């Protein structure tokens, strides 16, 4: 059953995840990795998630595919909750949400052939007990990701990084998922190979109407791929909106700082980075996140209120598709416009 | 190709070959490279292109199975090739220094930061422990570490990734070297921290008139900070020129393809230009031009004859049989 475009295929509400860390000065430390995240994903849509290391991107991804269980919150797929499913139910739901991992050098078992690697999900889910049929299906999947089917008896080490990532993608597609969660799918690849994999993912997504969560720290790649973009900071969403809106008129001070610091290949705009919006200090430790708005310790617009009260994700400028968690989002937006005009 | 009467670094004909069980593997072949005082030159290339091997050869830090040959490696007026290892060692840190990519493994985890920075002053300048400690505090302040007097006693694991990279830069500039080689100094860092580190490098080379050789694969970084660019592919320099020329009007198909494959704001939603195939391994290079199997400009000549790095107008150079056409295409396209 293929969902039609516009249907919600994944609905995560109020996700929280805290890890227990090593012993600190006051007993065990607790790392609040994801703190109250809501996300919905429509069929065929691509959602980009950006944020710095340690902001909880990967934890979020792992919860969406059912590799980690959230402490609280629900992840609804087809009206059932992955976060609380067990046994056969969980397996059924996992089939619909698959993951492409970051590092194609460590995420493929070096002792399995490509046939075994791509066929494994089919075996686990008992979808294709017949070995000959499975072989045909693997050949089909290899062709889909642009690899020659004759290569299926080779081992991962015989492939280049880009080819291995194609194998990882074929493996994720073997179960015909509705949602593909890609955690930094191109950051381990050579620059000249990244574009191949980005194009492949987009092409597959369009052709197969798969919804995609695309996590990356490279802002320009996310801009290229994502229909909507979510910005994370220390376990919370700072801003979510249409990609063009978020990149062209960022409303959250963190989004503004992040975008202004990311280098762009454009010699005419050289010095753009020198005029970037400065971020005070280093990112705070997630073991001891600041009270109120988690960004207030580094924010240029911070006021007393920000240290006391956590801002909610609210619509900006009457656009319901565009939300930001900032008490002073309107001021911030106006300030950013002024800066853009001055520059 | 001299850009200044006395370049801080002057390399001619550098080749590095590794001896392996499969036979000799040429990692770097016939590289020429100049960096003037106060200039920031970017060595751009992908993994395996030989850029880090070049850096290590210049520093005299090549591994045992590497054989380094060159017509000339000069640091200022010192001929590094003629120098015995003991003398070479005295230059490292004092007159040239290397900033590594991975700050956590480049720092000693069981020595405090103060001791590690201080060691430079004690070894090279013969300072007392107390003097060295004071210098270390100074340096930490200079690279923007808050509360340096307190932090000087901390150990590497107590610093964040960006701070550790700053500490490495502090150690690299400690003795006011003429040349800093920064090997992917920001690759492991977040963009906001990367911007700070690049700014720091940029201001230090201006204030202290240091020559900086920045090794990177990131076109965005290069576009932001470089004065001149050398593009490496399969162990050779395939194009060189000022950053303005090279980024706006590439003369080698590889540079051109790299620039086209970067996602830009105005290409959103379109297919990215993808370079077919993957970079060749140094042990198994194609005949003729090493880029020809991936090149859209390739003609029969490219399969058999390797193009030489040829000087073009405006002090730039490119190694391609069809450079003129590539340049024209950049203007009209």
């Amino acid at each position: 059953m293929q969902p039609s475009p516009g249907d919600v295929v994944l609905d995560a509400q109020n996700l929280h995840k805290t890890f227990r860390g090593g012993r600190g000065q006051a007993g065990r430390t607790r790392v609040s990795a994801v703190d109250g995240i809501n996300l919905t994903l429509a069929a065929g849509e691509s959602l980009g998630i950006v944020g710095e290391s340690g902001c909880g991107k990967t934890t979020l991804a792992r919860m969406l595919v059912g590799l980690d269980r959230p402490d609280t919150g629900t992840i609804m797929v087809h009206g059932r909750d992955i976060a609380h499913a067990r046994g056969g139910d969980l397996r059924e739901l996992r089939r619909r949400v698959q993951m492409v991992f970051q590092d194609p050098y460590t995420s493929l078992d070096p002792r399995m052939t490509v046939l075994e690697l791509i066929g494994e999900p089919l075996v686990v889910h008992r979808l294709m007990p017949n070995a000959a049929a499975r072989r045909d299906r693997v050949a089909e999947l290899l062709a889909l990701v642009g690899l020659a089917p004759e290569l299926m008896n080779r081992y991962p080490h015989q492939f280049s990084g880009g080819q291995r990532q194609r194998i990882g993608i074929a493996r994720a597609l073997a179960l015909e998922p509705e949602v593909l969660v890609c955690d930094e799918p191109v950051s381990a690849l050579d620059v000249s190979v990244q574009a191949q994999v980005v194009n492949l993912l987009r092409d597959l997504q369009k052709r197969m109407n798969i919804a995609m969560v695309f996590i990356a720290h490279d802002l320009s790649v996310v801009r290229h791929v994502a229909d909507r973009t979510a910005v994370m900071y220390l376990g919370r969403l700072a801003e979510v909106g249409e990609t063009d809106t978020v990149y062209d008129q960022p409303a959250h001070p963190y989004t503004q700082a992040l975008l202004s610091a990311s280098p762009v290949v454009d010699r005419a705009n050289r010095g753009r980075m020198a005029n970037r919006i400065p971020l005070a200090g280093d990112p705070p430790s997630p073991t001891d996140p600041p009270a109120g708005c988690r960004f207030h310790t580094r924010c240029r617009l911070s006021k007393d209120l920000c240290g006391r009260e956590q801002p909610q994700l609210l619509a900006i400028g009457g656009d319901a598709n565009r939300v930001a968690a900032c008490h002073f989002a309107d001021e911030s937006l106006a300030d950013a416009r002024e800066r853009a005009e001055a520059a | 190709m001299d850009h200044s009467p006395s370049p801080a670094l002057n390399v001619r004909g550098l080749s590095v070959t590794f001896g392996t069980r499969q036979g000799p593997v040429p990692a770097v072949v016939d590289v020429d490279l100049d960096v003037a005082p106060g200039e920031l030159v970017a060595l751009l290339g992908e993994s395996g292109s030989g850029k880090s091997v070049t850096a290590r050869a210049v520093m005299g830090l090549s591994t045992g199975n590497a054989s380094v040959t060159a017509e000339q490696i000069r640091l200022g007026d010192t001929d590094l090739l003629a120098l015995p290892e003991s003398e070479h060692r005295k230059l490292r840190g004092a007159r040239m220094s290397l900033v590594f990519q991975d700050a956590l493994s480049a720092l000693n985890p069981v020595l405090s930061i103060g001791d590690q920075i201080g060691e430079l002053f004690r070894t090279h300048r013969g300072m007392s422990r107390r003097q060295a400690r004071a210098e270390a505090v100074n340096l930490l302040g200079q690279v923007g570490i808050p509360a340096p007097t307190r932090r000087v006693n901390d150990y590497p694991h107590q610093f964040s990734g960006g701070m550790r990279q700053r500490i490495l830069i502090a150690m690299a500039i400690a003795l006011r070297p003429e040349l800093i080689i920064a090997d992917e100094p920001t690759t492991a860092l977040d963009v906001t921290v990367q911007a700070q580190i690049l700014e720091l490098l940029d201001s230090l080379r201006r204030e202290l008139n240091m020559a900086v050789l920045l090794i990177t694969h990131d076109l965005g970084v290069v576009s932001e900070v470089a004065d001149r660019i050398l593009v490496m592919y399969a162990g050779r320099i395939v194009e060189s020129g000022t950053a303005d020329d090279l980024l706006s009007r590439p003369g080698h198909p590889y540079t051109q393809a790299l620039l086209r494959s970067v996602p830009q704001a105005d290409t959103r939603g379109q297919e990215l230009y993808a370079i077919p195939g993957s970079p060749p391994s140094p042990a198994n290079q194609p005949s003729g031009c090493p880029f020809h199997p991936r090149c859209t400009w390739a003609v029969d000549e490219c399969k058999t004859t390797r193009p030489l790095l040829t000087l073009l107008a405006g002090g730039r150079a490119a190694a391609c049989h069809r450079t003129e056409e590539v340049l024209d295409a950049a203007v009209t396209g």
Side-chain angles (χ1 to χ4, degrees), chain A residues 4-339:
Chain A
S4 50
D7 284 1
V8 171
V9 286
L10 186 139
D11 183 13
Q13 292 299 325
N14 199 24
L15 292 180
H16 287 262
K17 180 76 185 177
T18 303
F19 293 103
R20 276 154 41 113
R23 284 182 193 285
Q25 276 111 343
R28 278 196 174 279
T29 54
R30 300 177 67 80
V31 180
S32 163
V34 169
D35 187 57
I37 284 193
N38 302 324
L39 281 179
T40 58
L41 200 61
E45 177 189 45
S46 62
L47 171 70
I49 298 183
V50 297
E52 295 177 282
S53 50
C55 74
K57 304 189 295 279
T58 296
T59 305
L60 177 65
R62 292 177 60 86
M63 290 196 290
L64 292 180
V65 294
L67 285 172
D68 275 330
R69 274 178 201 280
D71 299 335
T72 60
T74 56
I75 303 169
M76 305 299 285
V77 176
H78 276 270
R80 278 185 296 178
D81 186 1
I82 285 194
H84 298 97
R86 294 271 188 278
D89 252 10
L90 180 61
R91 195 157 56 221
E92 167 63 20
L93 289 172
R94 275 185 178 163
R95 194 170 79 71
R96 301 182 188 273
V97 188
Q98 284 286 311
M99 184 149 174
V100 175
F101 293 92
Q102 171 171 6
D103 185 352
Y105 293 87
T106 54
S107 61
L108 300 175
D109 187 332
R111 299 194 297 178
M112 289 168 85
T113 63
V114 171
L115 172 63
E116 289 165 332
L117 282 165
I118 301 179
E120 192 181 28
L122 299 168
V123 175
V124 169
H125 288 265
R126 300 194 188 93
L127 291 176
M128 244 172 230
N130 178 330
R134 206 157 59 226
R135 179 175 281 269
D136 288 347
R137 174 72 179 138
V138 170
E140 202 180 298
L141 285 161
L142 280 174
L144 189 67
V145 296
L147 289 174
E150 300 84 71
L151 303 175
M152 66 166 76
N153 294 315
R154 297 205 185 171
Y155 290 89
H157 75 267
Q158 294 171 292
F159 293 89
S160 69
Q163 290 174 318
R164 279 186 238 197
Q165 197 57 299
R166 287 170 192 266
I167 296 169
I169 293 168
R171 185 175 146 100
L173 292 176
L175 300 172
E176 298 177 35
E178 285 158 24
V179 180
L180 201 58
V181 178
C182 307
D183 185 10
E184 301 269 11
V186 299
S187 54
L189 303 178
D190 268 318
V191 195
S192 72
V193 180
Q194 286 185 5
Q196 294 172 11
V197 174
V198 168
N199 282 345
L200 173 68
L201 280 170
R202 264 196 82 82
D203 177 50
L204 290 171
Q205 188 214 352
K206 292 271 178 280
R207 271 200 292 167
M208 304 169 75
N209 198 32
I210 303 176
M212 183 160 79
V213 178
F214 193 96
I215 298 177
H217 68 274
D218 185 333
L219 294 164
S220 53
V221 172
V222 171
R223 174 173 211 168
H224 190 81
V225 168
D227 300 324
R228 283 194 302 141
T229 299
V231 183
M232 277 183 82
Y233 185 77
L234 271 188
R236 288 183 189 155
L237 289 176
E239 182 164 3
V240 188
E242 300 287 328
T243 300
D244 279 334
T245 324
V246 171
Y247 277 76
D248 292 339
Q249 299 155 32
H252 196 285
Y254 176 63
T255 316
Q256 293 166 355
L258 195 64
L259 285 170
S260 71
S262 108
V264 178
V265 187
D266 180 2
R267 206 53 188 170
N269 262 333
R270 197 182 183 208
R272 192 179 135 276
M273 223 157 77
N275 298 322
R276 69 181 189 279
I277 296 169
L279 277 185
D282 273 337
S285 156
T287 53
D288 184 23
C293 173
R294 286 191 170 179
F295 183 59
H296 84 264
T297 51
R298 307 177 72 195
C299 181
R300 71 186 197 285
L301 301 172
S302 170
K303 300 198 174 66
D304 288 350
L305 174 67
C306 305
R308 288 197 311 270
E309 221 171 277
Q310 180 187 344
Q312 300 301 311
L313 272 174
L314 296 174
I316 306 291
D319 181 357
N321 290 324
R322 158 90 191 289
V323 290
C326 176
H327 292 301
F328 303 102
D330 291 331
E331 282 93 324
S332 152
L333 199 55
D335 182 67
R337 282 209 186 106
E338 266 169 43
R339 271 172 180 270

Side-chain angles (χ1 to χ4, degrees), chain B:
Chain B
M1 248 183 28
D2 274 348
H3 292 269
S4 112
S6 59
L9 177 69
N10 173 255
V11 176
R12 287 289 170 275
L14 173 70
S15 297
V16 183
T17 304
F18 289 101
T20 68
R21 269 182 291 176
Q22 283 78 38
V25 172
V28 172
V29 187
D30 202 14
V31 163
D32 294 351
L33 138 84
D34 284 305
V35 192
E39 187 184 36
L40 198 151
V41 175
L43 193 55
L44 181 74
E46 299 178 78
S47 52
S49 64
K51 52 196 195 313
S52 294
V53 176
T54 304
R56 277 161 202 271
V58 170
M59 289 295 292
L61 292 172
S62 296
T63 48
N65 63 341
S67 78
V68 179
T69 57
E71 288 155 32
Q72 180 164 295
I73 306 180
R74 296 180 75 88
L75 178 69
D77 47 13
T78 313
D79 183 357
L80 298 184
L81 284 174
L83 226 51
E85 173 52 28
S86 59
E87 292 297 311
H88 207 157
R89 185 178 178 140
K90 282 184 193 157
L91 294 187
R92 283 197 291 268
R95 291 186 54 200
M96 59 180 182
S97 56
L98 182 58
V99 181
F100 291 92
Q101 172 177 356
D102 181 0
L104 193 56
S105 51
L107 292 168
N108 186 337
V110 297
L111 281 184
S112 74
I113 292 305
D115 285 341
Q116 296 190 51
I117 302 177
E119 191 184 11
L120 280 158
F121 293 102
R122 285 158 52 84
T123 311
H124 287 280
R125 297 279 186 267
M127 286 187 189
S128 71
R129 192 171 281 273
R130 184 186 298 267
Q131 283 171 318
R133 180 59 59 113
E135 289 289 343
V137 171
N138 252 337
L139 272 171
L140 288 178
Q142 202 178 349
V143 295
I145 305 263
T149 15
R150 190 165 50 80
R151 301 290 325 245
V152 74
N153 296 315
D154 283 353
Y155 290 85
H157 75 271
Q158 293 168 294
F159 292 86
S160 67
M163 294 261 216
R164 280 184 215 127
Q165 205 65 50
R166 281 164 190 263
I167 292 166
L168 280 196
I169 292 177
M171 291 170 73
I173 62 164
L175 303 175
R176 300 282 182 270
E178 293 143 56
L179 171 73
I180 294 186
I181 303 181
D183 190 356
E184 306 259 8
T186 59
T187 304
L189 305 175
D190 286 316
V191 285
T192 53
V193 186
Q194 166 173 287
Q196 294 167 3
I197 298 288
L198 291 176
E199 201 167 40
L200 174 67
L201 269 178
D202 199 43
S203 66
L204 287 171
R205 63 129 171 169
R206 281 176 209 283
E207 284 159 25
L208 308 172
N209 204 30
M210 288 174 188
V212 181
L213 181 64
L214 177 72
I215 295 176
T216 181
H217 66 265
D218 190 324
L219 278 164
V221 167
V222 165
S223 166
E224 189 66 40
V225 295
D227 298 327
R228 277 195 307 124
I229 300 178
L230 304 167
V231 183
M232 273 189 102
Y233 188 79
R236 294 174 191 267
I237 292 191
V238 295
E239 181 165 15
S240 69
T242 65
D244 289 325
D245 283 349
L246 205 139
L247 292 173
S248 62
R249 221 180 137 208
H252 193 283
Y254 174 62
T255 320
Q256 187 192 45
L258 270 186
L259 283 165
R260 282 174 65 197
S261 70
V262 175
Q264 304 267 9
D266 51 1
T267 61
R268 194 172 112 69
Q270 298 167 22
E271 183 105 326
L272 279 180
Y273 177 73
I275 308 175
S278 43
S281 112
N284 193 7
Q285 290 199 10
S287 62
C289 171
F291 188 60
H292 87 261
R294 310 177 70 193
C295 182
T296 50
W297 294 83
V299 290
D300 285 344
E301 190 188 6
C302 306
K303 293 173 192 158
T304 51
T305 320
R306 187 176 57 77
L308 300 172
L309 190 64
T310 319
L311 265 179
L312 306 166
R316 57 191 298 187
C320 176
H321 293 303
R322 302 182 67 188
T323 299
E324 297 297 337
E325 292 164 76
V326 176
L327 280 170
D328 287 345
V331 171
T332 51

